[in-house]
Every structure is written in structure tokens, then in C-alpha cells.
């Protein structure tokens, strides 16, 4: 039974995952967020805007309008599935083989996976727990062309897949779509809690949870991240040779990254949401000297328009409330980063920004280590995160030796 009235839209065996729902349905949002976090491609049909979609959902559900209704390429249908059901359907490993490991690594970005396979190569049992997709921020970068060894660049998704394969090759066990809800100590062992009755114990723990870029939280942002919305000029600036870009952020980072972008872009505008920038006067002077740079003061972005690519930017003058459309090839956002430090708040020393202090990779809590973007003083680059992962693995190894394990 299939209704192929619009290409692949109403088939029981579509070529990609189809999510039938509405914009107001919380379970629909949750399912889409799950697919997004796990970097699983899907297509969405808003049945409020598509009468044929309503008919299709009702036929599948014996006349009932139940959403989300999700159809997979093999023809299986899941109605109002939980995240656990979605993870099972996608074949994710969500339950570890044992309850005890030499080391638990929380986070599967470049730092976490590098440390994991370094430790596993030495014969240690290593468990990696990741709530989102492998690769961390690097996994959603369009192309990495500044990572050593990839002279022609590599897509972020492929880079993440390679990291995962490399770790598994050395025997690392990886749990996906699993969030560590709590981290504590039980006698001589640490334990990570992923559910009310699920705990994994270890002699050492490495926190490699990274940091998340502060986002603008405006319509259109999520859809264009990795396409025309970026958070790293070093990573993605080269894609805008001869083009026009907008940088959001009036602090030192925004001005520094904007100056870097002039190596590629023909025009770089800086959007500042206050009457005066917060960047140092030296940086402001350098920007003022550039003929292809402009600072737009007291403005904010209200919407990014375009589904498969950036078509326009809706700007608002904060002093008058007037709005206008502007056209840019790309938008770079530098309004700060937030460390994913919830597991260690109140347990270890943090710096003023909330990043974990771990000068020699070990935190102020013995046996608990930190590496990558969550660590205070890290450079927030994929290559340095991988290096920190290797350093953390060596520090963990020495720690295990010191406690006689």
C-alpha cells in the first residue's frame, strides 16, 4: 500500500526516514531533535499544512490522527516512539556489555575518542558514552581542511565516522544516544549513571564533553548550521573566497575572527547588538583600517531565511525597531561558548567561565580527568582536542599505575 502523489512523500518504503507531525507537537519536536543530535537524515511533513499528509497518517493509524508517525526506508512504522525505541531501530548500542571498566570516557568528540583508543591500544577496557552523534562539534562542520593529514580536507561527518571506526578497531566500546545523568564515587571506584538502575563503574573517568557555541536562538538558525551558519572562521572561512559574510559578535572574538575572514571574503560586516563594541580599541582600530569591513551597531538578527541555503537575513535596528532584509553568503556567530560541565559542577575547580581546571589533565578530584573544549585553557580546535585526548590518555595511564592497577 503506497500513496506516491508527490514523489517519495507518501510511500510506505521511502528512500529516507519520513516524520509526519506538526510544529506544535512536543513529541514531534523531540523525535526531530533526536535525529538531529544523532546526525540522522530525515524528511518532515507538517500535516497541518498538507491535507494529503493528514489522510496518509489516518490511513496508517486506522483512522486515528496520531503523531509523530515515522516511516523508515524498510517500511517499518513507529508511532509516538520513545528515544529508546528510535535508538533501537537505528541499531545504536545503548547498553554496555559489563558494569566495570578501567576507564570511562564521557564524550565522543576528537578528545574523547582519541583518548579512548590510546588507552585501548594498551589493553585497557574502555567505555565511551555519548548522548549525541560521534565527532562532537567537528562532526557537524561542513569540511575540516585544517586537520593534519587531510590535505584536501574532509567532511565533518566522514571524519566522525573514521574516529568511531578507529576506536572500535582497538576494542573501545561506544554507547550512543545515552546521557550520563550523574557522576559520583563509590569507595575506590567512580561510577557513571545513565538511568535509575544503570551504573557503570571505573577506576578513572575522563570528561570530554566539550563546549557548545552560544546560539542566536532565532528562526532558521538550526536548519542552516553547517550550511551557511558557522561558529569557526578557521574551519570554514575558506569556503567564502570572494563572497560577503556577516559576523555576529562585538567582542574580541568577533573582531579577531572577522579580521581573519578578510583573508577570504570580499566583504565582512560585523553585527553588534549594542551602541558600542566590546572589543579592544586595538582591534577596533584594525577593523576601521580595512576598506572591506563594516561595523553595524545596535542591530540584531531576527530571522535567517532559506531552507536549503541562506537566502536573506532579517535585521532589526534596536534603536528604532525598523526591520530590513539583507543578503549575505554566510553568517559566522561569535557570541561565546558554554562548557558542558554539569557533571562536575560543585565537585571540581572551575575557572570564571565554568571551564574545568585540569592543568595536567587531571582535575582537583583524583581519578577524574578533563580534555578538549571543556577544559580550561583549551584552544577549541579539533586538532588540539585530539592532542589533548592523547595527553589525557597518558595521564590516565600514569594514574592507574600510581594506584597499583
Amino acid at each position: 500500500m503506497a500513496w506516491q502523489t508527490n514523489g517519495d512523500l507518501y510511500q510506505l518504503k521511502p528512500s529516507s526516514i519520513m516524520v509526519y507531525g506538526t510544529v506544535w507537537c512536543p513529541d514531534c519536536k523531540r523525535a526531530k531533535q533526536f535525529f538531529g543530535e544523532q546526525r540522522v537524515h530525515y524528511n518532515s511533513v507538517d500535516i497541518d499544512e498538507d491535507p494529503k499528509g493528514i489522510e496518509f497518517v489516518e490511513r496508517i493509524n486506522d483512522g486515528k490522527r496520531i503523531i509523530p508517525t515515522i516511516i523508515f526506508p524498510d517500511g517499518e512504522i513507529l508511532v509516538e516512539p520513545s528515544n529508546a525505541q528510535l535508538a533501537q531501530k537505528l541499531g545504536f548500542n545503548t547498553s554496555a556489555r559489563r558494569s566495570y571498566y578501567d576507564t570511562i570516557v564521557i564524550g565522543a568528540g576528537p578528545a574523547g575518542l582519541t583518548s579512548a583508543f590510546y588507552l585501548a591500544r594498551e589493553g585497557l577496557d574502555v567505555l565511551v558514552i555519548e548522548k549525541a552523534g560521534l565527532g562532537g562539534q567537528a562532526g557537524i562542520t561542513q569540511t575540516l581542511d585544517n586537520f593534519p593529514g587531510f590535505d584536501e580536507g574532509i567532511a565533518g561527518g566522514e571524519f566522525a565516522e573514521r574516529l568511531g571506526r578507529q576506536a572500535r578497531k582497538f576494542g573501545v566500546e561506544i554507547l550512543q544516544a545515552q546521557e550520563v545523568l550523574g557522576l559520583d564515587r563509590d569507595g575506590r571506584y567512580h561510577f557513571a549513571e545513565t538511568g535509575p538502575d544503570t551504573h557503570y563503574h571505573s577506576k578513572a573517568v575522563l570528561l570530554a564533553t566539550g563546549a557548545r557555541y552560544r546560539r542566536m536562538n532565532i528562526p532558521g538558525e538550526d536548519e542552516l548550521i553547517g550550511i551557511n551558519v558557522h561558529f569557526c572562521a578557521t574551519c570554514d572561512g575558506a569556503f567564502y573566497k570572494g563572497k560577503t559574510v556577516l559576523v555576529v559578535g562585538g567582542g574580541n572574538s568577533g573582531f579577531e575572527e572577522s579580521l581573519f575572514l578578510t583573508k577570504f571574503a570580499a566583504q565582512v560586516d560585523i553585527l553588534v547588538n549594542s551602541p558600542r563594541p566590546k572589543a579592544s580599541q586595538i582591534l577596533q582600530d584594525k577593523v576601521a583600517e580595512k576598506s572591506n569591513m563594516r561595523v553595524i551597531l545596535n542591530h540584531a538578527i531576527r530571522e535567517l531565511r532559506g531552507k536549503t541555503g541562506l537566502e536573506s537575513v532579517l535585521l532589526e535596528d534596536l534603536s528604532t525597531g525598523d526591520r530590513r532584509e539583507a543578503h549575505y553568503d554566510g553568517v559566522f556567530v561569535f557570541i561565546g561558548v558554554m562548557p558542558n560541565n554539569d557533571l562536575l559542577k560543585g565537585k571540581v575547580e572551575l575557572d570564571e567561565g565554568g571551564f574545568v581546571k585540569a592543568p595536567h589533565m587531571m582535575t582537583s578530584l583524583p581519578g577524574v580527568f578533563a580534555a578538549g573544549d571543556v577544559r580550561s585553557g583549551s584552544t577549541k580546535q579539533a586538532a588540539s582536542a585530539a592532542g589533548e585526548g592523547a595527553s589525557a590518555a597518558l595521564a590516565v595511564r600514569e594514574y592507574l599505575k600510581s594506584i597499583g592497577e
Side-chain angles (χ1 to χ4, degrees):
M1 173 170 70
W3 299 271
Q4 194 173 354
T5 57
N6 184 14
D8 202 38
L9 208 56
Y10 307 113
Q11 295 191 69
L12 290 181
K13 287 191 176 183
S15 59
S16 65
I17 297 170
M18 300 295 298
V19 179
Y20 295 85
T22 65
V23 296
W24 49 262
C25 162
D27 280 339
C28 302
K29 292 179 181 178
R30 175 184 50 76
K32 291 177 183 178
Q33 181 179 356
F34 178 86
F35 286 135
E37 288 177 345
Q38 303 305 323
R39 295 166 200 156
V40 175
H41 175 72
Y42 70 93
N43 288 313
S44 178
V45 176
D46 184 349
I47 65 172
D48 277 349
E49 302 293 331
D50 188 340
K52 292 187 177 67
I54 294 176
E55 178 188 359
F56 187 53
V57 168
E58 289 177 344
R59 290 187 185 182
I60 289 174
N61 294 294
D62 297 323
K64 299 176 183 178
R65 192 176 298 180
I66 308 175
I67 52 176
T69 292
I70 304 176
I71 305 178
F72 292 82
D74 62 2
E76 184 173 352
I77 300 170
L78 294 182
V79 179
E80 295 183 317
S82 65
N83 283 357
Q85 289 174 305
L86 291 173
Q88 182 180 21
K89 173 60 184 173
L90 294 171
F92 291 161
N93 180 26
T94 59
S95 180
R97 291 191 294 266
R98 57 176 71 93
S99 60
Y100 168 82
Y101 292 83
D102 293 311
T103 304
I104 292 175
V105 177
I106 305 172
L113 289 177
T114 300
S115 66
F117 71 69
Y118 260 69
L119 290 166
R121 284 178 73 243
E122 298 195 12
L124 298 175
D125 292 324
V126 182
L127 175 68
V128 174
I129 306 175
E130 172 59 65
K131 69 175 182 178
L134 303 186
Q137 294 285 355
I140 61 172
T141 301
Q142 185 171 342
T143 302
L144 290 167
D145 61 2
N146 62 343
F147 199 93
F150 297 102
D151 58 323
E152 295 183 359
I154 182 171
E158 182 184 352
F159 178 74
E161 289 179 9
R162 290 191 181 193
L163 274 177
R165 288 199 302 268
Q166 190 172 17
R168 291 185 177 103
K169 169 186 173 182
F170 291 111
V172 174
E173 189 174 353
I174 302 175
L175 299 188
Q176 287 183 257
Q178 293 294 296
E179 182 175 4
V180 177
L181 304 174
L183 186 63
D184 216 327
R185 192 176 182 91
D186 180 13
R188 59 193 297 229
Y189 298 114
H190 300 278
F191 67 89
E193 177 187 355
T194 60
D197 300 311
T198 307
H199 302 78
Y200 300 108
H201 295 73
S202 66
K203 304 167 188 172
V205 173
L206 170 64
L207 194 76
T209 48
R212 59 194 183 276
Y213 293 105
R214 291 184 186 273
R215 297 186 179 182
M216 298 178 288
N217 295 319
I218 58 173
E221 182 180 23
D222 288 345
E223 292 84 353
L224 295 174
I225 287 176
I227 301 175
N228 299 110
V229 176
H230 311 279
F231 302 90
C232 177
T234 307
C235 305
D236 301 314
F239 297 109
Y240 292 91
K241 290 181 179 179
K243 297 185 178 181
T244 301
V245 300
L246 178 66
V247 172
V248 181
N252 285 344
S253 295
F255 274 63
E256 288 171 353
E257 300 295 334
S258 296
L259 287 164
F260 177 81
L261 285 168
T262 60
K263 296 181 179 181
F264 310 103
Q267 176 67 34
V268 178
D269 291 350
I270 305 175
L271 192 74
V272 181
N273 68 351
S274 58
R276 294 181 59 84
K278 295 180 180 179
S280 68
Q281 191 59 51
I282 292 176
L283 288 172
Q284 292 187 48
D285 292 342
K286 288 182 178 180
V287 167
E289 294 172 357
K290 295 281 189 178
S291 61
N292 64 337
M293 297 190 75
R294 179 175 60 142
V295 179
I296 305 172
L297 296 174
N298 216 32
H299 277 68
I301 298 180
R302 294 307 183 203
E303 184 180 355
L304 299 175
R305 295 175 174 172
K307 294 296 184 182
T308 59
L310 181 63
E311 297 173 3
S312 65
V313 178
L314 182 63
L315 300 179
E316 179 179 333
D317 186 327
L318 297 179
S319 60
T320 66
D322 293 338
R323 294 188 175 192
R324 63 182 176 87
E325 274 194 323
H327 297 277
Y328 293 94
D329 297 299
V331 176
F332 287 78
V333 183
F334 301 106
I335 54 178
V337 294
M338 300 171 62
N340 298 319
N341 64 1
D342 290 347
L343 291 172
L344 294 182
K345 280 184 178 178
K347 298 179 180 179
V348 302
E349 293 182 16
L350 307 175
D351 67 13
E352 293 181 356
F355 293 89
V356 178
K357 288 186 176 181
H360 301 291
M361 299 303 163
M362 189 160 72
T363 70
S364 55
L365 187 62
V368 177
F369 299 77
D373 291 1
V374 75
R375 191 183 70 86
S376 178
S378 61
T379 61
K380 314 301 185 284
Q381 294 290 314
S384 60
E388 288 200 10
S391 296
L394 298 177
V396 169
R397 183 188 65 182
E398 293 306 308
Y399 170 76
L400 294 178
K401 287 182 179 178
S402 72
I403 63 174
E405 301 289 349

